[in-house]
Structure formats: structure tokens, C-alpha cells
């Protein structure tokens, strides 16, 4: 079958599905959906449908990005718009089947929004909601929309049209198109994709490799996982285009082993490509041949660095080497190689499908297109987003993110994970693009974006990132291996309350040294969280060092728990729940925490009844508490006040 | 291969070793003549046996024509490989950034306490559970997260985590 025929068939099947006379139920079953219980919901749907004798089409899709509302179930009845329902439990889905599918009540109280033409009274349009309106979905164009396990659904939605177009073009023309689009590496470094491709195209040799870097190691980032799970063909089509344009004949996808579903979806997608003549020898009848293999990572953050990744595919310890020679000259097995990130490959297929000018119409002068971010932390709408480059940081946090959980104050936005920086709440006007984030001391990075509230200690955050990097340092070069270790020691003593007055200066010196002399980007960017927290949150360092106080009440060695004698009702709950028996008390006697025994596990604070609020967490000060048991006075005080 | 034949030339092959050797031979056959086979071979072996014993490493080194040292050098570089017998169920507690700010360390503490693991211990005495701390599962929006075998549990509290573990 020719590609034209496959495409015609795919479009007609897709059309038939859209115009189906049967109701359709669509369940988001990406990893986050599953973690929230999507598979249990799937089971109940099947049971309910067969119990009621309803014939319906049930499909699984990838992540639409609204992780806070998972599990998400969509229902489409014939000639009605698609309705998305959020936070669906097995109980709710039973109601939905009965109320909407059987009895025609669309249950606006449970709906998130409608998708597609037409509307339903009482339900907003999904893509008009503040969380989705500012978003522009190019890489994520099909996520949540098509069944990622069916290549035909991808084909019916312009899939592989970009590759078909590329086959009609000369390689130089394709590279020109990518350069013109302004696409830059979405893995973090932001190098021009067109420039990298040109280097591989120029390289001599009949054995060339392209690699998809899916070793998404930044803790707090899940864009690549969602993309591979939700639309693997968008990435694979990009790889076909890239291989054809650069003259590569072998390709690898290096994917984290922690992403089993992504690997499963990729393997299936590759099988389907082969069946459709999109993989192997003489693809779509052309002279172009390509093999793509999936390589599972084995758990090493440093393998996200391209030379380390290449060493790992070769079966060695995943340690980086110095460049030059760049992989385009000598890469995998010593052959010319180009490594691009998952999102970059998905952008490539979009660019060839819709054109460079269309792509370049999004974003800023130097940062074109869109970027996906994984929004997590203390934010209302956690999830996966895609926004045009240059969007103000505040729009992401407040509009898309819906602000901070529990009406707390925003303290910092952390971009770029352990290689990035911690930006203060005063920088919400900052346009998010490569240049502006770099100037602020951070990086765009692969797209992890973590929102921290007032209860987050920035010194502790810097310590957390550095501990991560220190643990993941491959040990090859001294500045990274020893330098980050020295920095970590300093940060640990500061958070223990043993900081010295010269520590901040010492951290800055070491940061400069590690940044400028490390072999690869892991060490080269490791000091960023430390430097930005010093730059924007110096007062917190000073409080820890000078006053031995943790203002956010996080650092265990600097905080204490006390029971306030005028609030305690001697209810005995904290005494019972304390896992280390650090609390003494008696009937009608104010309870006391033994500071020597207390492990600061927070249990007493969390179990003290809301109406008493007798347990307090403090740092650098201590309320007056009795040293021996005294009778409870709280009720009398309260009565006196109230009476 | 030749190396193995030589190793047992002088006497009977112990039954356990024969089994291990046969299984590894089957696994290794798929990678014969392929470049970059070391890590996939180690991964498959671990999948089969649960961990990489010294014997397994030794056999794999034989297949690959590497020294035991070289194979250990590669295997110990990666966090995925285990060198001691593991529990029947593996509990992986996420210690990524999102989980950390949402109290992921309290989940680990609760699980450690529930399993009565001493500091530094990762497997329970009855080999029912092994506990791992991992960097990130990419389910950050549902933090804090833990994975038991292949099931992902999100939006955890220490109490919920204890209940989940107790149900296995």
C-alpha cells in the first residue's frame, strides 16, 4: 500500500470514528492518569457498559496535561461536543454512564469543559479555561487527542505528512527549513537544531547516526515521558525527517528505564511504522533506509549529556568526554552522530507538516516556537503545559497554574532543575525564553518548572539540588567530583546551624571554579541553584548562618516544636501519636514535648485538633512553656474571652 | 563460552550453576555479535534472576570476552543494578524535587518504619520487600509518589503509604 492509500484509509477510518453512532468514552491512561487511578476507572467502565448492554467505543489516550484533574474521562455522544470530566473515581464514572449515556443529563457539575463544535449549557469550553487558553500546543498537538497505540490515528491528523513532504525535498532544503524555523534544542542547551544537522550532513562517511535523547533525568520534569506516551509518532516522524536530511541510516532512542509505558508505546509504534513501510529498507519506495532501536537507560543522570549517552549506548560506563571532537565528527562507535531531545524531534515533525514560517510566528526574536514545561510543586494546576516562548513567568504561575495551593505566598519558581536556578516572586514579569532566563542566572532547561511557596527553605533547596548532583557526578573530573562535594559540605553545615560567616563567599568562589573548569554541563551548571539562591535569597542564608534560624521552618536542626500551655486541652492525641514517646502529659494536665527526645517528625502538629492549635513549630525563639506538668487552663481562658 | 567450558572441565558442573549458565546462554544468544550488548545483557539477567550475583557477573564477562572487573565497573556505574538478593516486592519511593517539596522524605521514613528497616538496610529479613529511593518517575504532578512493583501510587501521605505497604 502506498502512503497515499494508507493516508486515505486512515482519514476515512478517523472520519467514521468521529461520526460514530455509538457513544465514545475516552480515558487518559498515561502514567499520571494511572497513578491517579485511571485503570480502575477503565475496569468499571467496561463492567458498567456490559451490565447495561450499552455498545460504546472505549479508547485510551495520552496526557492532555491537566494532571491535577486526573483521572480524566471524556464522553462523546453522537452529534454532541466532547465533554471532559475531571477527578473521575469509579463511583463517579458509574454515575456518568447512567446519567449522561443512558439518561442524557451531561452532569455539568462534574464536567471540566467541552471540546469541539457546539456547546452545552452550564459547561465551559475546555480550551477557553484559564489553564489552557494561554497555551499553544505544537509538540503536544495530539496528546490526549489520538490513541497513541494506533498509527492510523496519527496519520489521519497530518501524521507523516511532514516526512512525505521532506522526501520531495533535497536534504539541504530541509536543513534550511529547520534553520529558518529558528528551532533550538529543547533538551536544555538551546543550540540551533539546523546548525547541528548541517554539521552531520557535512560529515564524511556512509555510516551516520541520529539519537533521540529520552533520558529525562531532571527530577521534576516529565515532558518527554508524556510526549512519548501520548504521541510517539510525532517524535519518530521527526527522527525520519532528521535522518533523511542528514544522511543518517541508523537511529537510537535512549529512554530512561523508569518510563516502562513510554518504552512499550515506542516499541509498538516502531512495529506499526514497519508495517506501513515507514521503517527499514527503501522507506515509502525511496532510496532512503533507516533502522531505529530503543535503548533502555540504566539509571544515571549524567547520561543525559550527549557524550555520556553515547558511551552508554556503546555499553560502557556513561562518562562524558571532552569536546571537540564533537559527535557530528566522531560520535557513536566513532562515527558522525547527532543527538536531539524528544521535544526537539516532535517540533521537527510539526515544522515540516506546517512550515518554518508558521513555527517561527510563535515565540520571540531569538527564541522561536513553543516550549513544554512540567509544572509541579505548590501550585493549584500541576501538569504539563506548552506555551509560546516569551510568555511572562507570572502568566504561567497565576493564569495557567492557577496560583499557589492553600492561598500561600509564592516564594520562588525553579526552572531547569538541578542545572537551573531559583527565581524570586518579584520576577513574575520575566519573559520565559533562553536569553532572559540565562540573564537571570537560570536556564530554560529541559522544562521542569517547580513552584515553591513560603514554606520552602531556599538554602535547603540549594542543598537538595547539590546533593542530587553530587550523587550523580560521574567522578571523572575533579572540579565536579570534589568541588560539588565541598559545596555540599558547606550547605549541609549551614542547614545544621553550623554555618560560618565566610561560607557564602566560599560558596561563590567554589561555584565559579566548578562552573568554569568542569568537563561537562553537569558540573558546569551544578552551581546555578546555589548562585541564584544566594543572589535572590541572601537573607535566608544570613538567617541560617548569623541567627541559626530557618525562616521557612524547614531545616530540622534549627526548628523545635512546643505545646502552648494556654492552648493545650490535654486531649492526649499528640501523646498517643508521637512515634518516639517524646510527649508527657496527664488528664487535664498541659502536655510537654521533651526536646531531647523529639525527632521533629511533625506528627504532633498535624494531629493537634484544628480548634486547639496548641502545637507550634518555631525557629530561633522559644515560647514560654512549663517544665513540669501544670493543670490545663485553656478552656477557662477561652470561656473568659468568649463570655 | 570456551571460558566456561574450561572452567568446569575438571569436574561435574554444580546444578545451580548449570541452570544459571543455561539461562544466561539463552539470554546472551539474542545479543551474539551485536555491539553495545553489555548493558542490555545485564538488564535481562537482572530481570531473570532479580539481581546480579558474582556468578552471573562472571558468566556474563565470559560471554562478552571481558574481565569480571570490567563488567563490575560498568554495572556499578548505573543505579539500576542490584548485587544482592532482593525482596519479593520492590517499593520505590520518589525523592525527586517535586516529591521532596511535597514531603517525599516523610513517605520514605514512614515506609522504613513500617518495614522495620534499620538504617542502611534495604531489604526486609523475610525477603518480602526491598526499598529503593529513586530520583524521579515523572509523575511529579501527583507528588509525593511511590511505586510498588509496577503500580504507581500518587498524592501520598505517610499514613496512606503505610496502609499500602501493609496490604501487600
Amino acid at each position: 500500500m502506498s502512503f497515499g492509500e494508507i493516508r486515505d484509509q486512515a482519514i476515512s477510518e478517523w472520519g467514521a470514528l468521529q461520526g460514530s453512532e455509538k457513544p465514545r468514552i475516552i480515558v487518559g491512561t498515561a502514567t499520571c492518569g494511572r497513578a491517579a487511578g485511571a485503570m480502575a476507572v477503565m475496569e468499571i467502565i467496561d463492567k458498567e457498559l456490559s451490565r447495561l448492554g450499552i455498545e460504546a467505543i472505549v479508547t485510551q489516550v495520552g496526557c492532555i496535561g491537566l494532571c491535577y484533574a486526573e483521572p480524566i474521562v471524556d464522553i462523546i455522544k453522537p452529534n454532541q461536543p466532547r465533554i471532559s470530566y475531571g477527578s473521575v473515581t469509579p463511583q463517579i464514572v458509574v454515575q456518568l454512564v447512567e446519567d449522561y449515556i443512558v439518561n442524557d443529563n451531561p452532569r455539568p457539575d462534574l464536567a471540566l469543559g467541552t471540546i469541539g463544535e457546539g456547546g452545552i449549557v452550564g459547561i465551559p469550553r475546555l480550551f477557553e479555561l484559564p489553564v489552557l487558553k494561554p497555551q499553544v500546543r505544537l509538540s503536544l498537538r495530539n496528546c490526549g487527542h489520538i490513541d497513541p497505540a494506533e498509527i492510523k490515528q496519527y496519520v489521519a491528523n497530518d501524521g507523516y505528512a511532514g516526512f512525505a513532504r521532506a522526501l520531495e525535498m533535497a536534504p539541504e532544503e530541509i536543513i534550511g527549513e529547520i534553520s529558518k524555523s529558528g528551532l533550538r534544542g529543547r533538551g536544555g542547551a538551546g543550540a540551533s537544531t539546523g546548525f547541528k544537522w548541517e554539521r552531520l550532513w557535512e560529515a564524511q562517511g556512509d555510516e551516520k547516526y541520529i539519537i533521540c535523547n529520552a533520558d529525562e533525568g531532571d527530577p521534576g520534569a516529565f515532558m518527554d515521558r508524556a510526549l512519548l506516551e501520548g504521541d510517539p509518532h510525532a517524535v519518530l516522524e521527526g527522527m525520519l525527517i532528521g535522518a533523511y536530511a542528514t544522511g543518517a541510516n541508523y537511529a537510537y532512542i535512549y529512554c530512561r528505564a523508569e518510563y516502562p509505558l513510554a518504552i512499550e508505546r515506542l516499541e509498538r509504534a516502531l512495529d506499526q511504522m514497519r508495517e506501513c513501510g515507514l521503517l527499514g529498507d527503501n522507506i515509502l519506495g525511496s532510496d532512503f533506509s533507516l533502522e531505529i532501536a530503543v535503548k533502555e537507560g540504566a539509571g544515571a543522570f549524567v547520561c543525559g549529556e550527549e557524550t555520556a549517552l553515547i558511551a552508554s549506548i556503546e555499553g560502557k560506563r556513561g562518562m562524558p568526554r571532552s569536546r571537540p571532537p564533537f559527535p557530528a565528527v566522531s560520535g557513536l562507535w566513532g562515527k558522525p552522530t547527532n543527538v536531539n531531545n524528544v521535544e526537539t524531534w516532535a517540533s521537527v515533525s510539526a515544522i515540516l507538516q506546517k512550515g518554518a514560517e508558521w513555527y517561527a510566528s510563535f515565540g520571540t526574536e531569538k527564541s522561536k516556537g513553543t516550549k513544554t514545561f512540567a509544572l509541579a510543586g505548590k501550585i493549584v494546576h500541576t501538569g504539563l503545559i506548552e506555551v509560546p516562548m516569551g510568555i511572562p513567568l507570572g502568566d504561567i504561575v497565576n493564569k495557567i497554574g492557577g496560583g499557589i495551593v492553600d492561598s500561600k505566598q509564592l516564594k520562588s519558581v525553579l526552572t531547569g532543575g538541578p542545572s537551573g536556578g531559583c527565581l524570586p516572586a518579584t520576577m513574575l514579569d520575566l519573559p520565559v525564553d533562553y536569553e532572559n532566563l540565562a540573564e537571570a542566572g537560570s536556564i530554560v532547561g529541559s522544562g521542569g518548572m517547580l513552584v515553591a511557596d513560603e514554606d520552602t527553605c531556599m538554602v535547603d533547596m540549594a542543598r537538595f539540588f547539590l546533593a542530587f548532583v553530587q550523587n550523580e557526578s560521574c567522578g571523572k573530573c575533579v572540579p565536579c567530583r570534589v568541588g560539588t562535594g565541598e559545596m555540599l559540605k558547606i550547605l549541609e553545615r549551614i542547614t545544621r546551624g553550623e554555618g560560618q560567616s565566610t561560607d557564602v563567599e566560599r560558596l561563590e568562589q567554589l561555584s565559579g571554579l566548578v562552573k568554569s573548569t568542569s568537563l561537562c554541563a553537569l558540573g558546569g551548571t551544578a552551581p546555578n541553584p546555589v548562585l541564584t539562591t544566594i543572589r535572590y535569597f541572601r537573607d535566608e542564608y544570613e538567617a541560617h548562618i548569623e541567627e541559626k534560624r530557618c525562616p521557612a521552618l524547614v531545616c530540622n536542626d534549627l526548628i523545635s516544636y512546643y505545646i502552648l500551655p494556654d492552648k493545650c486541652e490535654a486531649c492526649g492525641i499528640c501523646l498517643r501519636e508521637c512515634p518516639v514517646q517524646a510527649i508527657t502529659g496527664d488528664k487535664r494536665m498541659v502536655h510537654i514535648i521533651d526536646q531531647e527526645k523529639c525527632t521533629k517528625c511533625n506528627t504532633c502538629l498535624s494531629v493537634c485538633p484544628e480548634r486547639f492549635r496548641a502545637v507550634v513549630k518555631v525557629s530561633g525563639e522559644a515560647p514560654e512553656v512549663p517544665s513540669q506538668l501544670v493543670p490545663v487552663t485553656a478552656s477557662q481562658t477561652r470561656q473568659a474571652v468568649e463570655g | 563460552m570456551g571460558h566456561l567450558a574450561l572452567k568446569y572441565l575438571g569436574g561435574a558442573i554444580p546444578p545451580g550453576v548449570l541452570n544459571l549458565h543455561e539461562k544466561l546462554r539463552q539470554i546472551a544468544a539474542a545479543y551474539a555479535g551485536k555491539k553495545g550488548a553489555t548493558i542490555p545483557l545485564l538488564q535481562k539477567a537482572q530481570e531473570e534472576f532479580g539481581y546480579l550475583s558474582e556468578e552471573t557477573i562472571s558468566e556474563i564477562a565470559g560471554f562478552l570476552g571481558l574481565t569480571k572487573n570490567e563488567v563490575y565497573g560498568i554495572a556499578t556505574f548505573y543505579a539500576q543494578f542490584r548485587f544482592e538478593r532482593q525482596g519479593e516486592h520492590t517499593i520505590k519511593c520518589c525523592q525527586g524535587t517535586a516529591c521532596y517539596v511535597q514531603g517525599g522524605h516523610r513517605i520514605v521514613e514512614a515506609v522504613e518504619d513500617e518495614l522495620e528497616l534499620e538504617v542502611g538496610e534495604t531489604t526486609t529479613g523475610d525477603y518480602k520487600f526491598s526499598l529503593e529511593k529513586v530520583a524521579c518517575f515523572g509523575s511529579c504532578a501527583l507528588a509525593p509518589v511511590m511505586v510498588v512493583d509496577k503500580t504507581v501510587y500518587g498524592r501520598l501521605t505517610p499514613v496512606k503509604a503505610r496502609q499500602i505497604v501493609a496490604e501487600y
Side-chain angles (χ1 to χ4, degrees), chain A residues 52-164:
Chain A
L52 297 165
I54 301 169
E55 273 191 54
I57 303 168
V58 182
T59 20
Q60 300 187 31
V61 295
C63 174
I64 197 164
L66 310 175
C67 306
Y68 67 95
E70 293 283 2
I72 296 174
V73 173
D74 291 11
I75 300 178
I76 311 174
K77 290 188 74 170
N79 307 315
Q80 290 292 323
R82 171 171 170 177
I83 308 176
S84 278
Y85 298 93
S87 308
V88 176
T89 58
Q91 292 80 5
I92 289 178
V93 87
V94 169
Q95 290 174 28
L96 286 175
V97 170
E98 193 180 320
D99 292 352
Y100 187 36
I101 296 187
V102 179
N103 293 324
D104 241 4
N105 169 8
R107 292 298 301 267
D109 56 317
L110 297 172
L112 289 170
T114 62
I115 306 172
E117 282 170 36
I120 287 175
V121 179
I123 304 179
R125 299 180 66 83
L126 192 71
F127 285 91
E128 293 294 317
L129 292 176
V131 61
L132 281 165
K133 202 171 181 193
Q135 296 198 40
V136 177
R137 299 164 69 88
L138 308 187
S139 300
L140 303 174
R141 55 194 182 273
N142 293 319
C143 286
H145 180 54
I146 63 166
D147 182 346
E150 293 302 330
I151 189 170
K152 281 185 182 161
Q153 296 204 2
Y154 179 69
V155 171
N157 286 277
D158 291 332
Y160 291 104
F163 172 64

Side-chain angles (χ1 to χ4, degrees), chain A residues 219 225 295 298-299 316-317 460, chain B residues 36 73 78-80 97 100 138 142:
Chain A
R225 174 185 63 67
K295 276 270 176 182
K316 300 175 191 155
R317 289 164 71 90
D460 182 60
Chain B
Y78 296 96
Q80 191 188 23
T97 323
Y100 183 73
L142 299 168

Side-chain angles (χ1 to χ4, degrees), chain A residues 14-36:
Chain A
W14 178 255
L17 183 67
Q18 304 310 308
S20 164
E21 287 302 309
K22 293 177 192 164
R24 293 173 59 204
I25 303 177
I26 301 162
V27 186
T29 56
T31 300
C32 23
R34 291 180 185 204

Side-chain angles (χ1 to χ4, degrees), chain B residues 74-133:
Chain B
I74 294 161
T76 54
F77 183 84
Y78 296 96
Q80 191 188 23
F81 298 115
R82 308 269 154 259
F83 305 95
E84 276 162 10
R85 186 181 154 191
Q86 297 295 292
E88 184 191 339
H89 301 290
T90 305
I91 304 170
K92 295 178 180 172
C93 286
C94 184
Q95 303 293 288
T97 323
C99 287
Y100 183 73
V101 298
Q102 302 278 31
H105 52 294
R106 298 211 188 278
I107 306 296
V108 182
E109 284 163 15
V111 174
E112 277 174 338
D113 189 61
E114 183 69 27
L115 297 179
E116 295 176 11
L117 287 173
E118 300 288 329
V119 177
E121 259 186 355
T122 54
T123 300
T124 52
D126 58 0
Y127 288 102
K128 189 163 181 206
F129 293 103
S130 284
L131 175 66
E132 288 176 29
K133 298 172 196 174

Side-chain angles (χ1 to χ4, degrees), chain A residues 211 305-315 327 331-333 337 339:
Chain A
I211 296 172
E305 197 280 342
E306 61 178 10
T307 59
L309 186 154
I310 288 170
S312 182
I313 294 182
E314 289 173 347
L332 187 61
W333 323 113
T337 304
V339 185

Side-chain angles (χ1 to χ4, degrees), chain A residues 458-507:
Chain A
M458 299 317 291
V459 184
D460 182 60
M461 218 55 237
R463 184 204 56 77
F464 170 82
F465 280 129
L466 214 64
F468 175 80
V469 172
Q470 163 69 28
N471 191 35
E472 294 291 342
S473 171
C474 80
K476 185 171 178 174
C477 75
V478 178
C480 179
R481 183 182 71 232
V482 182
T484 57
E486 285 303 306
M487 290 173 70
L488 180 59
K489 271 189 214 161
I490 296 174
L491 284 164
E492 280 175 347
R493 75 171 175 240
I494 296 176
T495 54
R496 276 201 310 267
E498 295 161 12
Q500 299 159 8
S501 57
T502 53
D503 274 353
V504 170
E505 201 185 324
R506 184 100 185 102
L507 278 173

